[in-house]
Amino acid sequence: MKLRTMIVIASMLACFAGTAQDQLDLANIETVVQNFARFGDQQNADGLDGILHPEYRAVVNRLFGSPEASLMNKATYLQLVRDKKIGGDERQVFLLSVDVVNNNASVKAIFEGKQLRFTTFISLIKSEEGKWLVVGDMPDIEEV
């Protein structure tokens, strides 16, 4: 009987521990997404560098009706921020959905600024050290 009770208690604790980790991951993912927008708004390339995976890619498809898809690596993206060619707005961030499977996450969010509105799909991965990093961003950008 004691063994059965111990198994039930251990199972319950495992469930709560998993839930706590899930909540911690969700909080960390939300923080990274908020910082991704904030650092872009502030044109803070060093801040962005710390949350972007080395293989980060931005994919902007058919910007303002263009027939082109533009792919940008991390170095190019950070240089555009440093040169103040992108960013510089103050946007509100609305997370519409967050899906997490083990060490991978996908976020759908809206970044609402004074001039532009981004509906974006952000891919994140958790590093071996437990840090969530943005590996991809695919925004749809429209004028407000």
Side-chain angles (χ1 to χ4, degrees):
M1 187 64 149
K2 285 183 183 181
L3 180 59
R4 219 181 263 176
T5 303
M6 295 294 278
I7 291 172
V8 169
I9 291 171
S11 296
M12 289 174 58
L13 289 175
C15 289
F16 290 132
T19 302
Q21 183 59 49
D22 293 345
Q23 292 302 318
L24 181 60
D25 280 335
L26 288 173
N28 289 337
I29 290 165
E30 181 175 357
T31 298
V32 170
V33 172
Q34 293 281 351
N35 285 340
F36 180 59
R38 184 170 51 94
F39 292 150
D41 294 349
Q42 297 169 350
Q43 295 173 317
N44 179 346
D46 292 334
L48 284 166
D49 190 31
I51 62 171
L52 298 180
H53 186 274
E55 296 298 324
Y56 167 81
R57 295 289 184 273
V59 179
V60 182
N61 188 27
R62 302 182 61 199
L63 181 63
F64 304 127
S66 163
E68 304 294 319
S70 173
L71 281 75
M72 212 179 319
N73 66 17
K74 180 178 179 178
T76 302
Y77 181 80
L78 291 177
Q79 192 59 53
L80 288 171
V81 171
R82 282 187 187 94
D83 293 343
K84 308 220 181 295
K85 292 183 178 177
I86 59 174
D89 198 356
E90 188 174 327
R91 300 173 291 178
Q92 289 184 288
V93 177
F94 304 96
L95 272 61
L96 303 179
S97 66
V98 179
D99 293 313
V100 182
V101 177
N102 294 320
N103 299 310
N104 301 309
S106 178
V107 174
K108 181 179 180 184
I110 293 176
F111 298 169
E112 183 85 42
K114 293 177 183 126
Q115 298 175 0
L116 299 175
R117 179 179 193 220
F118 295 66
T119 302
T120 189
F121 299 90
I122 300 170
S123 299
L124 301 98
I125 57 174
K126 191 195 295 188
S127 71
E128 191 173 347
E129 297 80 26
K131 182 178 179 182
W132 286 97
L133 298 169
V134 176
V135 72
D137 177 31
M138 191 168 58
D140 178 77
I141 305 168
E142 58 188 329
E143 294 179 293
V144 177

